[in-house]
Amino acid sequence: MSTDYTRENPNWKSTRASDGSVTESDRTEEYRRILSAGSLTGDRVRNAAGEDLGKIEEIMLDVESGTVAYAVLSFGGFLGMGNKLFALPWEALRLNQDDHEFILDVDKAMLEQAPGFGKDDWPDMADPAWGNQIHSHYGYKPYWEASDAERHENYSGKRSEKTLRGGSY
């Protein structure tokens, strides 16, 4: 008999029968609440129109606050050559666990106009002036200026349950 780790794991949300068991039909109602950064690195990014925008290269953490500051997107080029990197405010992304991808609600033209950088020429991501420019381009308040309630609203208000539901990562 296999062990059902979702029963004790608070990182999983699911619908359960009154006796606490998880049925196979309940598994379609599960989604991960916490994922490792490594499991998200390499995921593709699409826009709402379904256009491929690239893939997540890195996830950047603000160590002092314990906040995910940016996801770094690799976009453009051909066969990985000439790709440009873009820092995206974490709040700008929605995770689609079913398809192992992120949704960024911008068109390609807006992304092409975004401040970017080369793989060997990273900006100082702790520089508030640079961070303000990035957040402003995508229409978000910088995470270091937002209250906990505002960050929660940015994060949860943009994610539908349908997008978060899905299989294991």
Side-chain angles (χ1 to χ4, degrees):
M1 183 166 148
S2 65
T3 304
D4 180 6
Y5 292 105
T6 62
R7 185 182 187 97
E8 267 90 65
N9 188 340
N11 297 321
W12 282 93
K13 288 203 173 215
S14 67
T15 305
R16 294 198 169 105
S18 60
D19 67 357
S21 65
V22 178
T23 66
E24 199 56 42
S25 63
D26 291 336
R27 294 195 185 281
T28 61
E29 299 296 316
E30 294 179 354
Y31 62 89
R32 292 292 301 253
R33 291 179 45 210
I34 297 176
L35 296 168
S36 71
S39 72
L40 301 172
T41 302
D43 281 2
R44 74 176 169 225
V45 178
R46 296 187 184 276
N47 62 17
E51 297 174 304
D52 185 18
L53 298 179
K55 69 176 186 169
I56 299 296
E57 291 290 332
E58 296 287 346
I59 295 176
M60 308 303 291
L61 305 175
D62 181 322
V63 179
E64 278 188 31
S65 70
T67 302
V68 177
Y70 305 98
V72 177
L73 172 73
S74 173
F75 171 72
F78 180 70
L79 298 176
M81 303 291 287
N83 282 3
K84 195 170 182 183
L85 300 176
F86 298 89
L88 306 171
W90 186 246
E91 298 87 359
L93 294 166
R94 289 180 299 154
L95 177 60
N96 178 338
Q97 287 192 30
D98 289 334
D99 296 328
H100 292 260
E101 68 183 11
F102 284 94
I103 307 300
L104 176 64
D105 198 12
V106 301
D107 60 24
K108 282 187 176 183
M110 182 179 189
L111 186 58
E112 289 168 349
Q113 298 302 313
F117 53 96
K119 68 177 186 164
D120 295 324
D121 189 27
W122 283 58
D124 176 0
M125 292 188 175
D127 176 7
W130 179 86
N132 279 321
Q133 179 185 18
I134 298 302
H135 283 83
S136 175
H137 181 79
Y138 294 101
Y140 290 88
K141 186 174 187 176
Y143 70 90
W144 62 90
E145 292 178 1
S147 68
D148 288 341
E150 288 171 319
R151 278 195 300 278
H152 178 73
E153 178 61 30
N154 277 344
Y155 183 80
S156 63
K158 300 227 179 241
R159 287 154 170 76
S160 69
E161 284 193 30
K162 182 177 186 297
T163 301
L164 285 172
R165 294 185 192 280
S168 62
Y169 232 79

